[in-house]
Amino acid sequence: MGQCPSAPRRRKPPPPSPSPALAVTPPQLIASIAEAAGGEDRTADLPEELLALIFGLLGSGDRKRCSLVCRRWLAAEAASRLRLALDARAPLLADEALPRLLARFPAVSKLALKCDRRAESVGDPALTLVADRLGPGLRRLKLRSLRAVTDDGIAALAAAAVNLRKLSVGSCYFGAKGIEAVLRSCLHLEELSIKRLRGLAKSEPIAISSPRLQSLSLKELYNGQCFSSLITQSPNLKSLKIIRCSGDWDIVLQDVPRDSLLTELHLEKLQVSDLGVATLYGLEVLYLAKAPEVTDIGLTALAAKSPRLRKLHVDGWKANRIGDSGLAAVAQKCTSLQELVLIGVNLTCSSLELIAANCPTLERLALCGSDSFGDAEMSCVAAKCAALRKLCIKACPVSDAGMDKLAEGCPRLVKVKVKKCRRVTSECAERLRASRNGALAVNFDTPGGAGELQDARSIDESGMLDNAGSDVPPDDLDDQIGPDLSSGSSRPSRWKVRMGALIPRSLSVSIFRRQTRGACYTSHES
């Protein structure tokens, strides 16, 4: 569940101006320390290894500033830097900047090459240079919008980076042959993320698996089924994400072996039905978002084959294809359930009572846009979910009468979040806070407030559902050399959230919902 303040946001007061003693840059500070020590360099006796270890504990900005103090510190910072992000536009190679940067940072093991989508990127020669300078030591590689890179360039880099553990590719124009070259050369690859790979349209399916691959993410791909053998034949694959990829995925899921180690599955905006979902075994985490052809039948079959299911997130898209029947099967078969997030799913007390009775470890519950979740269902949760710790209710027809039941129920509850529930008042939120002597955190927003502009997916308390379809850059690639492309080509995130709430949903969604009010899915059921 998201972090939303219970009171309207207030502007933070400006930070106090630093005292004159602290308003100095690191080089000036070092100079003042050296002057106080009689001009003696107290770090001269430190071994190079210890100095490199100290630099490893500093942030990116402090490392850059401290490297300007003296030549020794410059060399120590360069020798100990493990992460590097470069602006991969064409001038990077034309100005001979890339060879100098790679020569300065020979120990880099995590490299990101990102180019602005409107600019010309570096090509195969840049990857060849990276392979020559960093090849065997490279562990993690991220490529973004490198439109001039071909399969041959990827193959040359993969042949040198034999110890690569993680590869993330987005908005590039090479095809499946480049990915196949990586899989053949990088036998230690554990994580692979592919997003918007433009060269897949005419690619043939690759007939290779990865012996150590544990995580595979496919996002916004056309002809993504060419990686089916990677899904079905990788013996150590544990996490699979398939998000907004075209084509029929039932056949791929049906080919997943029964003894597969796959435990975490994310399916979002896919053409997948009960036929594909019902064949899966041993899942522990399932995210099922906007897959309207999956019904209670598929969820029931999956629950029977995945008794260790711990987390279940369902975005039903208000299609009324998943309801009490499927959730009751989950309650009866998956007794280890700890987290349940339902968006656009209409459930009643009949399934809630089974979930509360059979899932004693349920700690996190989030409900959004459920037209049937009212005061009676809220009273059921309060009375029978004894292990519940975090609860989120959004856009549901509950009122003060139902929410007041939480004051006496759910003894382990530590956080409640209520959003866009027009029948719940701020007085009720205050009563809930007072009922636990301040031990219960209550996040409440009034209808029409700032919190109402956020998307429904923000209800997930763990933050995973929010990012299920996004491509958030990892924190370990924040040491960037050159301009920040991510901030230069996009507006602030708060502006995006507000504008995204004001823009109407797509025409396809509107048509789909209008069809479901009439004869829903007659073509699939006939």
Side-chain angles (χ1 to χ4, degrees):
M1 288 181 275
Q3 302 293 329
C4 181
S6 57
R9 293 184 178 178
R10 298 179 180 178
R11 290 186 177 181
K12 295 182 179 180
S17 58
S19 60
L22 297 178
V24 292
T25 61
Q28 294 172 340
L29 183 60
I30 295 297
S32 62
I33 295 175
E35 183 179 357
E40 181 181 358
D41 183 6
R42 297 298 179 90
T43 66
D45 296 333
L46 290 178
E48 299 295 334
E49 295 80 5
L50 182 57
L51 190 59
L53 180 62
I54 295 174
F55 271 99
L57 300 176
L58 299 178
S60 176
D62 290 337
R63 290 177 64 99
K64 295 174 184 177
R65 286 187 288 269
C66 290
S67 65
L68 303 176
V69 172
C70 61
R71 293 178 182 270
R72 182 170 181 251
W73 285 26
L74 178 65
E77 192 276 333
S80 62
R81 181 182 286 269
L82 302 178
R83 303 183 296 265
L84 188 63
L86 298 176
D87 180 356
R89 283 180 274 199
L92 179 68
L93 190 60
D95 298 340
E96 299 297 327
L98 183 59
R100 295 195 299 268
L101 287 171
L102 297 179
R104 178 184 172 188
F105 304 112
V108 166
S109 61
K110 304 172 185 178
L111 177 65
L113 297 176
K114 299 181 286 186
C115 179
D116 187 274
R117 61 185 180 182
R118 294 160 295 189
E120 182 183 356
S121 70
V122 296
D124 293 346
L127 295 191
T128 303
L129 187 59
V130 171
D132 294 339
R133 299 293 178 89
L134 304 178
L138 205 57
R139 297 294 187 273
R140 305 178 73 170
L141 178 63
K142 187 175 188 177
L143 305 177
R144 287 291 180 272
S145 301
L146 301 187
R147 290 175 293 277
V149 171
T150 66
D151 291 328
D152 295 335
I154 294 294
L157 177 58
V162 293
N163 295 315
L164 193 67
R165 300 300 199 272
K166 181 177 180 179
L167 174 63
S168 178
V169 177
S171 300
C172 296
Y173 277 63
F174 58 89
K177 290 184 178 180
I179 300 297
E180 184 176 4
V182 172
L183 297 174
R184 293 188 182 278
S185 301
C186 307
L187 301 180
H188 299 283
L189 192 68
E190 298 176 354
E191 297 183 37
L192 176 60
S193 177
I194 306 173
K195 181 177 181 180
R196 292 196 215 104
L197 195 60
R198 310 298 188 185
L200 292 181
K202 300 180 180 179
S203 296
E204 296 292 331
I206 61 174
I208 188 175
S209 61
S210 180
R212 296 193 179 183
L213 188 66
Q214 299 180 11
S215 176
L216 176 62
S217 176
L218 306 176
K219 300 180 182 180
E220 303 178 27
L221 298 181
Y222 179 80
N223 192 24
Q225 288 83 357
C226 64
F227 299 114
S228 59
S229 62
L230 193 60
I231 297 174
T232 59
Q233 299 178 18
S234 297
N236 291 306
L237 186 63
K238 299 178 181 179
S239 175
L240 174 62
K241 297 180 182 180
I242 309 176
I243 299 172
R244 295 190 293 275
C245 294
S246 62
D248 186 4
W249 288 90
D250 280 339
I251 300 176
V252 178
L253 295 181
Q254 287 174 341
D255 290 340
V256 175
R258 182 172 181 173
D259 58 350
S260 170
L261 298 181
L262 186 65
T263 58
E264 182 174 349
L265 179 63
H266 297 233
L267 302 177
E268 180 177 345
K269 286 189 176 181
L270 286 184
Q271 183 182 341
V272 62
S273 68
D274 294 338
L275 297 177
V277 173
T279 59
L280 299 173
Y281 286 82
L283 292 183
E284 298 181 11
V285 178
L286 174 62
Y287 291 79
L288 186 62
K290 298 179 176 62
E293 295 183 33
V294 178
T295 67
D296 285 329
I297 298 175
L299 187 60
T300 300
L302 184 141
K305 299 174 182 178
S306 302
R308 297 194 304 269
L309 191 67
R310 296 179 292 105
K311 295 182 180 181
L312 175 61
H313 293 221
V314 178
D315 185 347
W317 223 8
K318 289 196 173 183
N320 292 326
R321 306 281 280 177
I322 294 179
D324 282 335
S325 176
L327 295 176
V330 171
Q332 293 171 352
K333 302 296 183 180
C334 309
T335 57
S336 301
L337 193 66
Q338 299 176 4
E339 179 173 317
L340 178 61
V341 176
L342 301 175
I343 302 175
V345 176
N346 293 328
L347 74 165
T348 62
C349 289
S350 61
S351 59
L352 277 174
E353 289 177 354
L354 287 175
I355 292 173
N358 297 336
C359 304
T361 59
L362 183 65
E363 295 183 346
R364 295 176 294 277
L365 176 63
L367 299 164
C368 175
S370 177
D371 298 333
S372 60
F373 188 85
D375 290 340
E377 288 72 21
M378 189 71 254
S379 300
C380 178
V381 170
K384 299 185 178 182
C385 294
L388 197 65
R389 296 180 60 85
K390 295 183 179 181
L391 174 65
C392 178
I393 308 296
K394 183 172 182 180
C396 295
V398 296
S399 66
D400 287 356
M403 297 300 299
D404 284 337
K405 299 295 183 180
L406 290 176
E408 301 175 357
C410 300
R412 299 184 59 188
L413 196 64
V414 296
K415 183 177 180 181
V416 177
K417 184 172 183 179
V418 182
K419 298 185 64 178
K420 300 174 75 172
C421 298
R422 299 182 180 276
R423 299 171 60 191
V424 180
T425 63
S426 57
E427 290 78 8
C428 177
E430 294 298 333
R431 289 196 298 271
L432 287 179
R433 292 190 188 97
S435 66
R436 306 291 177 96
N437 297 322
L440 179 62
V442 180
N443 289 345
F444 171 80
D445 69 331
T446 57
E452 192 170 345
L453 294 177
Q454 298 181 8
D455 186 74
R457 287 174 295 175
S458 64
I459 68 160
D460 184 13
E461 64 195 73
S462 63
M464 289 183 289
L465 191 61
D466 303 61
N467 301 329
S470 63
D471 190 22
V472 181
D475 296 334
D476 57 356
L477 290 176
D478 58 353
D479 295 343
Q480 179 164 337
I481 303 297
D484 187 358
L485 298 179
S486 60
S487 62
S489 60
S490 61
R491 294 183 180 270
S493 58
R494 183 180 302 177
W495 184 90
K496 284 184 177 180
V497 169
R498 292 179 179 271
M499 290 304 297
L502 297 176
I503 297 175
R505 290 182 179 268
S506 65
L507 180 60
S508 60
V509 175
S510 302
I511 295 175
F512 170 76
R513 289 188 176 175
R514 283 197 295 270
Q515 290 177 346
T516 58
R517 294 192 182 97
C520 182
Y521 300 101
T522 55
S523 61
H524 297 287
E525 297 174 351
S526 58

